[in-house]
Amino acid sequence: MPGNLQAAPADVTAALHDVAALGGFFVLRAGGGDTGWHPVGLSYARGFTDLAETVAHRHRAPEARIGVSIAHLGHVARLWSPALACVLLHGIVLDLSRLERADDGPALRMPHPAGLRVGAPPSPALALYGQVTAHLEALAQGLRVKVAPRLLDGNAASALVEAARALLAAHPELREPLTGLTTELLNTGRLVGTGEITGPDLTFRRRSCCLYYRAPNGSKCGDCCLAG
């Protein structure tokens, strides 16, 4: 992003601390000790097998791809949520290139907080898209269970819009820039054609299904193409 400057690590850490207060998927830890963490790329290379198997066991999924899809959806949410919030609330595009994952679960951290200050145009959408989808491409390449690529793209779109909806609920004053950025992202790269925003509160209908309904106690999600 020409014309933008590196954000000070202390500012990135403060931004991450602030957006974590939104809860759940917005938590991205900054710094701290190295014990208990590993480069997330190792998890991608291993096919995210540990998380997928844990999810499949929890939901008693009859097919391995269900666990993979649900684990993937949760991971995408942990990428989009803090990244989107930091852009809208603090004007920082996070540098997600050195993310680490907890050894015992799905939590993520930035061992060395970094990011770019968002200045004048161009829009941060391409930079934000690039940071997140670099992870999704690496994860998809490492999967050992066959999952339809467009299902994974749909997961990415669904997680993006859910992050935007949560951010909108907490900060309704951001409606215009948030809707604009979300719409721009949905019109970028692999997110094109994954679904459409259907209402002013960022309701969404995706064109694929995450397969959660196929688990014994699962159901169709609110944005599912199969929902009535």
Side-chain angles (χ1 to χ4, degrees):
M1 295 178 66
N4 293 281
L5 301 175
Q6 288 288 335
D11 291 341
V12 179
T13 299
L16 290 172
H17 179 76
D18 178 58
V19 304
L22 294 168
F25 295 116
F26 288 89
V27 177
L28 175 54
R29 302 182 191 183
D34 294 336
T35 302
W37 300 90
H38 62 271
V40 73
L42 292 179
S43 289
Y44 299 154
R46 297 166 182 162
F48 243 43
T49 303
D50 60 333
L51 289 184
E53 290 178 350
T54 297
V55 169
H57 178 75
R58 181 188 311 136
H59 294 287
R60 296 184 290 117
E63 304 169 68
R65 64 185 182 132
I66 298 172
V68 170
S69 177
I70 298 173
H72 176 272
L73 184 57
H75 183 64
V76 184
R78 288 180 175 85
L79 295 171
W80 277 128
S81 299
L84 194 65
C86 281
V87 167
L88 271 298
L89 293 175
H90 296 277
I92 295 173
V93 176
L94 297 175
D95 179 352
L96 302 177
S97 61
R98 299 177 66 183
L99 280 189
E100 294 184 347
R101 207 203 94 193
D103 292 342
D104 59 357
L108 299 174
R109 79 159 183 155
M110 297 180 72
H112 305 288
L116 287 177
R117 284 281 178 193
V118 180
S123 164
L126 284 178
L128 185 57
Y129 174 87
Q131 288 291 333
V132 172
T133 56
H135 285 269
L136 302 186
E137 290 169 1
L139 173 52
Q141 290 173 3
L143 290 179
R144 300 174 185 179
V145 175
K146 185 176 181 179
V147 179
R150 289 304 275 171
L151 183 157
L152 299 178
D153 294 338
N155 282 355
S158 179
L160 165 63
V161 179
E162 281 304 304
R165 281 167 53 84
L167 187 54
L168 178 62
H171 292 276
E173 75 279 5
L174 294 177
R175 179 181 300 275
E176 184 175 346
L178 179 56
T179 300
L181 180 56
T182 304
T183 300
E184 189 173 358
L185 285 164
L186 289 173
N187 289 323
T188 301
R190 296 193 63 87
L191 298 184
V192 174
T194 51
E196 59 183 351
I197 294 174
T198 59
D201 292 326
L202 296 176
T203 51
F204 183 68
R205 179 57 60 92
R206 61 185 284 180
R207 295 195 173 98
S208 59
C209 173
C210 72
L211 305 178
Y212 177 56
Y213 83 99
R214 296 178 68 88
N217 295 318
S219 61
K220 295 172 185 174
C221 303
D223 64 359
C224 184
C225 61
L226 302 178

